[in-house]
Amino acid sequence: MNFILLSLAVLFLPGMAIADDVVANAPGNLDLTHHVIGYLSLLVTVAAYIAAMSEEVTELRKSKPMVLGSALVWLAICIYYALHGDAKTAALAFESNLLAYIELLLFILVSMTYLNTMEERGVFNGLKVYLLSRKFSYRRLFWITGALAFVLSTIINGLTIGLLMGSIALAVGKKKPEFVALACVNIVIATNAGGAFSPLGGISTLFVWQRKILHFTEFFSLAIPCLVNFLVPACVMHFWVPKETPEALNEKIVLKRGSKRIIFLFILTLAITVSANVLLELPPAAGMMAGLGLLQFFNFYLTKTAHIQESDFAYVYRFYHLEVPKANNNRTFDVFKNVGNVDWDTLLFFYGAMMIIGAISFVGYLDAVAQFLFGQISPTLANIMIGLSSAFVDNGTLMFAVLNMHSNLPPGQWLLLTLTLGVGGSLLAIGSAPGVGMLGHIKGHYTFTAHLRWMPMILLGYFASVAVHFWINARYF
């Protein structure tokens, strides 16, 4: 067995000086920060992130380099520990990071499944048609789409909200490209700000909630700072929005059978998730999986009753403004298809990111970074700097890295970090999922340059939200 491990080490790690570093049966973590294993881990991590951020140029899905990179790093670490007679320590560290990812995976998987189901039932299209048929002016639509993005992002992932509101802005502003650009910038800011104070909508906030660092209700103390972050640049951009009123869209809202009940089930699922966590201390994934079970049984009910003819209970469906069911109308509704249609590229990217950051932490680099950030400089400055860096690096990855630093911070600083990481991605179009999604979905109207033009105002909103946080949440420090 040792011969096999040694052979693998020679194949994968030709530069590893085994003879010079033999520590038989070494207990606990080995310090590999100045070892070839550590340097290799850093090299693979940097290469994986560069490849992931170059997705638009290389057309290589961002999950592929991250998954492969995380596998290579952990394989190198586990081989090294096995050669030193302590394979169990590395295996347990891997399993700990895997458990954290599984909890995130199940939570997001159920959320995305519900969103895909509501989209298939016509809920989001109905909202779009409603807004386009009300004869709102460009300025009113600017504020309506921004406000809806802010509110809905507290319970729905930012990418979905960004694409939905971006589609509305594009449909309304076909003849006013300047409106589309401004509305999309506003939507990105609003979406990131809304998700920052709710664990149900923001990834970095969800991470903190999962670790039980803050109580669910404590995050809502960030609501006003997040609102300030949204309003400061929006109030300035308002004066550049055209005053005209676009032509109204004459289209009827058609919701498929079961759509409103699915919305109710989604709300019920979120209520179960929060209640189970607060009252029973169950992980958020437990409540979400219960909600998935409810959706599956409702799917069974719709499928079995799809044969109802127009004459049966038709008045009930017309009373609720629903599409009258026809034969086989709902047989295409399959909850497992909606599970399969979730954004697996993003979910696997998070797997790679969390596992590779966990490996860097296990090697010892994050402890060294933590000593500098939270030891040699003030935690406030460190958290503000980390938040600004989220314009370039995924905020979920950064939050997971800080959580692995085991930083002993007061609640006020954890709230500050949650705030800055949540809204810092708004500084650049590539800094958050809504921005990246709309760059591809609304090409030619919403661009990197159009967003960059408003970065000074977004930065002003960023620091204004930090100042408001220190003002109204002083009791947490």
Side-chain angles (χ1 to χ4, degrees):
M1 182 64 181
N2 286 336
F3 175 78
I4 296 175
L5 292 173
L6 179 60
S7 302
L8 288 172
V10 172
L11 287 172
F12 287 98
L13 312 170
M16 185 172 65
I18 302 173
D20 297 333
D21 296 297
V22 175
V23 184
N25 300 317
N29 292 14
L30 301 174
D31 184 8
L32 302 178
T33 54
H34 299 291
H35 192 276
V36 65
I37 297 293
Y39 299 144
L40 177 66
S41 300
L42 287 179
L43 179 63
V44 172
T45 299
V46 172
Y49 267 100
I50 291 176
M53 290 187 292
S54 305
E55 179 181 13
E56 292 187 10
V57 177
T58 62
E59 296 184 356
L60 177 70
R61 292 292 185 90
K62 61 182 179 291
S63 62
K64 297 180 180 180
M66 297 303 294
V67 171
L68 179 60
S70 64
L72 292 176
V73 170
W74 275 108
L75 181 62
I77 293 172
C78 290
I79 289 175
Y80 183 83
Y81 268 75
L83 288 170
H84 289 75
D86 196 18
K88 189 64 175 178
T89 298
L92 289 175
F94 179 87
E95 291 175 2
S96 176
N97 286 277
L98 182 63
L99 177 61
Y101 170 72
I102 290 174
E103 289 185 2
L104 174 71
L105 170 67
L106 295 178
F107 185 97
I108 299 180
L109 183 67
V110 176
S111 178
M112 286 184 172
T113 300
Y114 263 102
L115 297 178
N116 288 343
T117 304
M118 286 189 282
E119 183 177 7
E120 188 272 335
R121 295 285 95 182
V123 174
F124 294 142
N125 186 65
L127 175 60
K128 176 181 174 180
V129 171
Y130 173 79
L131 290 177
L132 297 181
S133 62
R134 301 299 292 178
K135 296 182 179 180
F136 293 128
S137 66
Y138 286 116
R139 288 192 170 181
R140 290 191 67 182
L141 284 168
F142 173 84
W143 284 104
I144 289 173
T145 53
L148 283 175
F150 182 84
V151 173
L152 293 178
S153 62
T154 60
I155 59 173
I156 300 176
N157 73 78
L159 179 59
T160 300
I161 295 301
L163 294 177
L164 172 63
M165 295 301 162
S167 298
I168 294 173
L170 181 62
V172 173
K174 290 180 179 179
K175 299 180 181 180
K176 289 287 182 180
E178 62 272 25
F179 164 77
V180 178
L182 286 168
C184 288
V185 174
N186 188 47
I187 290 167
V188 170
I189 299 169
T191 301
N192 291 330
F197 72 91
S198 172
L200 303 177
I203 293 296
S204 56
T205 314
L206 175 61
F207 276 141
V208 180
W209 183 35
Q210 281 183 323
R211 290 291 183 94
K212 298 181 180 179
I213 293 175
L214 295 172
H215 193 273
F216 182 82
T217 56
E218 288 182 304
F219 291 104
F220 292 103
S221 62
L222 293 176
I224 295 178
C226 289
L227 184 63
V228 170
N229 178 268
F230 160 52
L231 291 178
V232 168
C235 289
V236 177
M237 288 189 288
H238 167 84
F239 297 100
W240 274 263
V241 179
K243 297 180 180 180
E244 296 89 346
T245 300
E247 295 180 3
L249 177 67
N250 294 320
E251 186 176 334
K252 186 179 179 181
I253 299 176
V254 178
L255 298 179
K256 292 183 180 179
R257 177 171 172 252
S259 57
K260 293 186 178 181
R261 282 169 286 181
I262 289 173
I263 295 175
F264 170 77
L265 287 178
F266 183 53
I267 296 174
L268 178 61
T269 297
L270 297 179
I272 293 173
T273 300
V274 175
S275 300
N277 178 262
V278 173
L279 302 177
L280 306 178
E281 297 188 4
L282 286 171
M288 295 300 287
M289 291 303 292
L292 180 61
L294 294 175
L295 181 62
Q296 288 176 315
F297 270 94
F298 187 64
N299 170 210
F300 176 79
Y301 164 76
L302 287 183
T303 302
K304 288 298 182 180
T305 57
H307 62 279
I308 299 177
Q309 300 299 316
E310 184 173 350
S311 58
D312 299 327
F313 307 113
Y315 68 94
V316 176
Y317 294 101
R318 293 196 180 99
F319 177 80
Y320 286 103
H321 305 290
L322 301 175
E323 183 184 37
V324 177
K326 298 177 182 179
N328 298 322
N329 184 37
N330 291 287
R331 293 194 183 278
T332 58
F333 173 37
D334 186 349
V335 69
F336 291 107
K337 288 184 179 179
N338 290 320
V339 171
N341 289 333
V342 301
D343 188 0
W344 284 103
D345 183 48
T346 297
L347 291 176
L348 291 176
F349 169 82
F350 275 119
Y351 168 81
M354 291 178 66
M355 298 307 293
I356 209 167
I357 292 298
I360 294 297
S361 174
F362 184 68
V363 168
Y365 285 116
L366 292 189
D367 286 337
V369 174
Q371 290 177 6
F372 171 74
L373 287 179
F374 302 106
Q376 299 183 26
I377 64 177
S378 71
T380 298
L381 180 59
N383 286 332
I384 292 175
M385 291 171 57
I386 294 172
L388 291 173
S389 66
S390 66
F392 305 94
V393 183
D394 174 73
N395 64 342
T397 303
L398 287 171
M399 179 60 83
F400 190 73
V402 176
L403 289 170
N404 277 276
M405 292 177 188
H406 309 291
S407 302
N408 185 20
L409 299 175
Q413 291 293 344
W414 280 113
L415 287 171
L416 174 62
L417 180 64
T418 303
L419 171 66
T420 56
L421 279 180
V423 303
S426 301
L427 291 168
L428 295 176
I430 60 172
S432 63
V436 173
M438 285 196 289
L439 281 175
H441 184 64
I442 311 179
K443 294 181 179 179
H445 293 84
Y446 174 66
T447 62
F448 181 86
T449 305
H451 192 108
L452 187 64
R453 187 178 298 119
W454 293 99
M455 191 180 73
M457 290 298 102
I458 301 173
L459 191 62
L460 178 62
Y462 177 86
F463 284 108
S465 63
V466 171
V468 171
H469 169 58
F470 276 100
W471 176 40
I472 67 172
N473 294 321
R475 65 188 183 279
Y476 288 108
F477 291 91

